[in-house]
Amino acid sequence: MSYRTLLLVVLLAPALLLGGALALGVTIPVPQWGRDYVMRFIVDEAQVPPDLPKIDGPDDPSRPLVVIDAGHGGRDPGASGIDPQGRKIDEKDITLAIARAVRAELLKAGNIRVALTRSDDRILPLGHRPEIARLLDADLFISIHADSAGERDDVSGASIYTLSNAASSEAAARFAARENDADRLNGIVISGQSDAVSTILVELSQQRTQEEALAFADLVLREGSNQLAFHSQPRRSAALAVLRAPDVPSVLLESGFVTNLADRARLTTPEGRAQYASVLARAIKVYFARRATGAAAGE
Ligand code: ZN
């Protein structure tokens, strides 16, 4: 090989490697220069396994396990509103308080195991939330959220979401976009978003899981009909990343609007939280009781 050919190879090698990688469909993360000249890398948080929370309740793996997910947390406050005293209300605090109340209510029953995806004010990647339920081999996953209607104080009521391949309405699509956006904070972007969406579509074929999620959503509406205020169209479906566990029936309770007076009172007081807790605990108990009788009948 002549010196000139060698030089050509050395000069062309990086380009050939890059071209080859691109031709093979390999994506190469490229550091981006932010305005503040801090290097940012695309981090695939799904590759980092989540810390598993402790499981409360009976020390018996044969007992059903429900994972309750308090939406948002840490530097991600979620939706916000202002209380009558002028104090800021963050969704992350509401969801954690409700999650804790549901856990306390369920533990009274004594035969259901409970784990919270987070039990303090910390950030938790969206992907970790359903993954925790899967790794713990949970039987049910409930994500708790609250909403904001911005300047409008007349929008109110709880909704319950299950996974869909297409958002069922424009409002549901906006909600999904915002909730899925929680992973974009501080420059950290989950790579392969379109992969995640196609995974959701594939996972939809897990019909049984989906049917169970729908049955549970119906139970929440039934048990809550006298105690909670639901939106006029409370059953919704959206492509929510947090509901994508293919083998754990999953729902997301949008518990109400922090921007509405009546909803806010329910969301931010111990009495109000007790209502959510008793409704969800009843729905969970009925759900597991039905499943146990179904299993006994050889379903
Ligand atoms: Zn939320």
Side-chain angles (χ1 to χ4, degrees):
M1 200 183 280
S2 75
Y3 179 70
R4 193 176 291 176
T5 317
L6 190 66
L7 192 67
L8 200 64
V9 167
V10 167
L11 288 175
L12 284 180
L16 288 171
L17 275 174
L18 187 66
L22 290 176
L24 289 170
V26 177
T27 51
I28 298 164
V30 179
Q32 296 163 5
W33 294 101
R35 208 176 284 169
D36 47 0
Y37 299 98
V38 169
M39 220 182 224
R40 289 175 177 170
F41 292 90
I42 293 168
V43 178
D44 190 350
E45 289 171 292
Q47 288 177 0
V48 183
D51 292 332
L52 293 182
K54 77 175 171 69
I55 298 173
D56 290 308
D59 186 17
D60 174 0
S62 72
R63 299 290 181 179
L65 170 63
V66 55
V67 168
I68 300 168
D69 172 50
H72 310 276
R75 63 173 186 257
D76 168 21
S80 61
I82 303 291
D83 77 3
Q85 286 77 42
R87 289 172 303 214
K88 191 163 174 277
I89 305 167
D90 285 334
E91 179 185 354
K92 66 174 183 176
D93 299 325
I94 290 173
T95 61
L96 181 57
I98 293 178
R100 283 181 175 150
V102 178
R103 174 173 64 183
E105 188 66 27
L106 280 173
L107 291 178
K108 282 188 211 162
N111 55 358
I112 293 172
R113 297 181 299 145
V114 193
L116 265 51
T117 54
R118 67 173 178 99
S119 43
D120 54 19
D121 183 20
R122 69 174 67 194
I123 186 108
L124 196 59
L126 274 185
H128 280 187
R129 299 167 185 263
E131 194 58 20
I132 286 170
R134 298 193 67 204
L135 292 171
L136 292 178
D137 203 15
D139 301 282
L140 190 61
F141 175 85
I142 305 168
S143 188
I144 313 276
H145 285 255
D147 207 351
S148 155
E151 297 294 304
R152 292 191 59 180
D153 59 8
D154 57 335
V155 181
S156 68
S159 308
I160 189 147
Y161 283 78
T162 49
L163 187 66
S164 80
N165 50 351
S168 59
S169 69
E170 204 189 317
R174 273 203 307 274
F175 177 69
R178 202 184 60 228
E179 295 295 359
N180 289 340
D181 226 27
D183 270 351
R184 292 177 176 276
L185 285 165
N186 286 14
I188 296 171
V189 179
I190 294 279
S191 62
Q193 288 261 307
S194 56
D195 286 355
V197 172
S198 51
T199 308
I200 286 170
L201 295 174
V202 171
E203 286 167 358
L204 266 179
S205 66
Q206 311 287 336
Q207 272 301 323
R208 195 181 166 97
T209 304
Q210 194 57 5
E211 281 163 19
E212 287 173 351
L214 293 169
F216 179 71
D218 283 341
L219 280 174
V220 173
L221 291 180
R222 193 188 79 181
E223 296 299 325
S225 60
N226 293 326
Q227 259 183 295
L228 299 179
F230 284 105
H231 191 270
S232 56
Q233 289 178 314
R235 280 281 255 99
R236 290 165 190 241
S237 57
L240 293 163
V242 81
L243 300 180
R244 71 180 177 198
D247 40 8
V248 184
S250 303
V251 301
L252 183 149
L253 177 69
E254 238 297 23
S255 47
F257 285 81
V258 292
T259 37
N260 174 263
L261 188 68
D263 276 8
R264 190 166 58 230
R266 197 176 295 108
L267 292 168
T268 56
T269 59
E271 300 75 35
R273 283 196 286 275
Q275 286 180 303
Y276 288 104
S278 79
V279 167
L280 285 174
R282 278 205 311 272
I284 292 165
K285 286 180 212 165
V286 173
Y287 175 79
F288 286 136
R290 274 187 187 172
R291 236 186 40 161
T293 48
E299 258 184 28

